[in-house]
Amino acid sequence: MIAQARDKSKRSLAAEVLRSGLHLRLRAMGTSMLPTLWPGDLLTIESVAVEQAKRGDLILFMREGRFFVHRLIAKVEADAMLITRGDCLSAGDAPVSAKEFLGKVVQVQRRGLSFAPSPRLSRVRLVIARLLCHFSPLQRLTLGIYARYRAAHFDLALAEDAC
Amino acid sequence: MTTPATGAHEICVEIGSHPVLLRTPDHTYRERLANRYAGFLTDGSHADLKFDIDLVAPLDDMGDDDVEIEVEARSGIWRLRRSDFRAEWDCRAGRGYIRQAPTPYSTDSILRIVHTLLLAGEGGFLLHAASCIRNGRALLFSGVSGAGKTTISRLAPADTTLLSDEISYIRRDGTAYRAFGTPFFGELARPGDNCSAPLGTLFFLEKGFENKIEAIPKSEALRKLLRNILFFAEDPDLVKVIFRSAWEFVERVSMSRLTFLPDERVWSVIR
């Protein structure tokens, strides 16, 4: 219960940081944005006005005390509602309100390098996303391979030869 | 790839005593770089390397993958390629050219790669590690994402100087090593201080239920070290050089496993 309260207050603090115009850095944990984002990626979130969010942006929103980073796929201007979906999910989220919206991802750090996330999901990635979405054993296998690769991206065989 | 006209706006970023001059025709972009590397700017008259940066609109022609990177050398020219940039660098002339999307993240990645190449030639490397100076010695805390590098940096006592919470800069200094501050940060979102110190101990981080330091065999230390060295070049000769550097490092530097609980008491066991 204490841990839950602490997590909730952390999330509220993070939301407050963004709303005050500062940057926030979060570690990606989930799999809903594969293959665009991977568990362990470090995301830099910038506070922007909801009107400035564009189709293709990866946006951060908070719902029921949890953070979500999903892709903005449409805007319903009249209601200032955002339509979002995880790249690896088959269905969209419930529309995101301006109150839930916190900012957008401007930088991803992975394996020691940084890059700005691409606003479009290429055909190749779309196919990968659909495969990972519909075949959970494939997703588990891919994540397992990725975790091993992340832990040993240098040539370990070389190291073992010399030991 | 042709060389563009020389731009008027320069900035020199010096990391690990390696000054790199960046030249762009875009004043605004120069200012963005100046903000990004504040604390690591220096006079460009003695730069080891000079890059002309050509900013282009989003590089749709440059491929699909925003992460996959190619770093290769041909006839003394290094070629760096990712979906958001292309760069060439003539080692002998110390001159290079960058064509990139108008974002400092691209320049930042190029700088990291360039420094891994500069360091490889002199027995050093960039390491996925937090680093700080305490009592005149540099301490390194290495581990993959989530191992606790930022946590240990955040918990450091007030008399500690932060060098980086993410990417540490290691250079040979005679038969010993020296760690330098870098502007490359992780979750802490704060660059390190631009200073250096002789290297003391490298700790490999593990989260646990107590604070303790344990010795580890050299073979394990080498394996862990190699896992955390940043290196991107697909060059068999340079890979051998890096491996030799890592082995020499293991022979000369004290290394231990640090198991820790995420609170400030961990610093009472760090010597």
Side-chain angles (χ1 to χ4, degrees), chain A residues 78-143:
Chain A
D79 300 326
M81 297 296 272
L82 308 176
I83 309 300
T84 59
R85 189 175 68 199
D87 287 352
C88 194
L89 298 178
S90 54
D93 307 310
V96 177
S97 68
K99 196 176 168 188
E100 293 173 308
F101 173 79
L102 291 170
K104 70 173 190 177
V105 178
V106 293
Q107 182 195 22
V108 180
Q109 273 194 58
R110 183 185 306 159
R111 304 202 310 262
L113 293 181
S114 57
F115 58 93
S118 170
R120 71 187 173 90
L121 197 57
S122 68
R123 282 184 192 166
V124 174
R125 287 190 173 204
L126 192 61
V127 170
I128 295 171
R130 290 292 166 265
L131 287 171
L132 294 174
C133 169
H134 292 292
F135 300 102
S136 50
L138 178 65
Q139 188 183 109
R140 281 197 299 275
L141 178 69
T142 306
L143 287 170

Side-chain angles (χ1 to χ4, degrees), chain B residues 81-156:
Chain B
R81 177 187 165 109
R82 199 172 70 175
S83 63
D84 56 330
F85 63 72
R86 298 277 191 279
E88 286 187 358
W89 160 33
D90 184 332
C91 308
R92 284 183 292 268
R95 295 289 301 265
Y97 167 56
I98 298 168
R99 179 174 173 247
Q100 64 157 84
T103 159
Y105 307 130
S106 303
T107 309
D108 199 71
S109 289
I110 292 166
L111 277 180
R112 292 181 193 210
I113 296 165
V114 165
H115 279 282
T116 63
L117 298 172
L118 289 172
L119 286 170
E122 50 186 53
F125 43 80
L126 291 185
L127 188 67
H128 219 115
S131 48
C132 63
I133 302 173
R134 192 149 198 240
N135 301 323
R137 309 284 289 179
L139 303 171
L140 301 180
F141 303 92
S142 185
V144 295
S145 303
K149 297 187 294 294
T150 299
T151 304
I152 210 97
S153 306
R154 197 175 277 136
L155 295 170

Side-chain angles (χ1 to χ4, degrees), chain B residues 183-245:
Chain B
F184 308 132
F185 48 77
E187 284 175 83
L188 205 57
R190 177 162 75 87
D193 286 357
N194 189 0
C195 55
S196 69
L199 187 53
T201 303
L202 166 59
F203 298 99
F204 293 107
L205 294 175
E206 275 185 25
K207 285 177 181 167
F209 298 103
E210 58 179 330
N211 296 318
K212 62 177 178 182
I213 292 173
E214 299 165 287
I216 53 172
K218 284 184 178 174
S219 58
E220 185 184 343
L222 179 60
R223 206 170 289 129
K224 284 174 176 285
L225 181 68
L226 285 171
R227 282 176 189 172
N228 290 294
I229 288 177
L230 268 68
F231 197 67
F232 308 95
E234 296 158 13
D235 184 301
D237 292 335
L238 212 51
V239 169
K240 284 179 190 163
V241 169
I242 285 284
F243 180 76
R244 198 161 47 241
S245 299

Side-chain angles (χ1 to χ4, degrees), chain B:
Chain B
M1 195 177 277
T2 55
T3 305
T6 301
H9 306 288
E10 295 182 346
I11 188 170
C12 189
V13 181
E14 182 168 338
I15 306 167
S17 294
H18 279 303
V20 176
L21 187 82
L22 304 170
R23 202 154 34 202
T24 168
D26 188 322
H27 171 68
T28 310
Y29 192 69
R30 188 239 175 246
E31 292 308 304
R32 290 178 74 187
L33 290 177
N35 285 333
R36 169 67 186 85
Y37 297 108
F40 289 83
L41 303 181
T42 185
D43 166 29
S45 58
H46 60 302
D48 293 342
L49 254 174
K50 294 176 182 173
F51 279 104
D52 285 304
I53 301 177
D54 187 13
L55 301 176
V56 292
L59 305 176
D60 285 342
D61 63 315
M62 286 188 165
D64 176 58
D65 199 312
D66 47 13
V67 184
E68 206 54 47
I69 189 142
E70 293 171 28
V71 180
E72 57 179 11
R74 280 186 208 154
S75 312
I77 309 278
W78 277 103
R79 290 186 171 84
L80 286 51
R81 177 187 165 109
R82 199 172 70 175
S83 63
D84 56 330
F85 63 72
R86 298 277 191 279
E88 286 187 358
W89 160 33
D90 184 332
C91 308
R92 284 183 292 268
R95 295 289 301 265
Y97 167 56
I98 298 168
R99 179 174 173 247
Q100 64 157 84
T103 159
Y105 307 130
S106 303
T107 309
D108 199 71
S109 289
I110 292 166
L111 277 180
R112 292 181 193 210
I113 296 165
V114 165
H115 279 282
T116 63
L117 298 172
L118 289 172
L119 286 170
E122 50 186 53
F125 43 80
L126 291 185
L127 188 67
H128 219 115
S131 48
C132 63
I133 302 173
R134 192 149 198 240
N135 301 323
R137 309 284 289 179
L139 303 171
L140 301 180
F141 303 92
S142 185
V144 295
S145 303
K149 297 187 294 294
T150 299
T151 304
I152 210 97
S153 306
R154 197 175 277 136
L155 295 170
D159 61 351
T160 304
T161 303
L162 178 73
L163 295 176
S164 176
D165 76 320
E166 182 74 7
I167 306 289
S168 293
Y169 201 105
I170 317 295
R171 285 189 76 170
R172 282 288 289 270
D173 185 9
T175 57
Y177 291 86
R178 203 167 181 87
F180 290 76
T182 79
F184 308 132
F185 48 77
E187 284 175 83
L188 205 57
R190 177 162 75 87
D193 286 357
N194 189 0
C195 55
S196 69
L199 187 53
T201 303
L202 166 59
F203 298 99
F204 293 107
L205 294 175
E206 275 185 25
K207 285 177 181 167
F209 298 103
E210 58 179 330
N211 296 318
K212 62 177 178 182
I213 292 173
E214 299 165 287
I216 53 172
K218 284 184 178 174
S219 58
E220 185 184 343
L222 179 60
R223 206 170 289 129
K224 284 174 176 285
L225 181 68
L226 285 171
R227 282 176 189 172
N228 290 294
I229 288 177
L230 268 68
F231 197 67
F232 308 95
E234 296 158 13
D235 184 301
D237 292 335
L238 212 51
V239 169
K240 284 179 190 163
V241 169
I242 285 284
F243 180 76
R244 198 161 47 241
S245 299
W247 180 248
E248 288 173 3
F249 186 85
V250 170
E251 287 287 306
R252 293 184 167 122
V253 174
S254 161
M255 297 191 190
S256 305
R257 178 188 299 114
L258 171 60
T259 308
F260 75 107
L261 271 166
D263 68 40
E264 65 276 4
R265 284 172 297 181
V266 60
W267 277 91
S268 64
V269 303
I270 295 170
R271 297 280 182 268

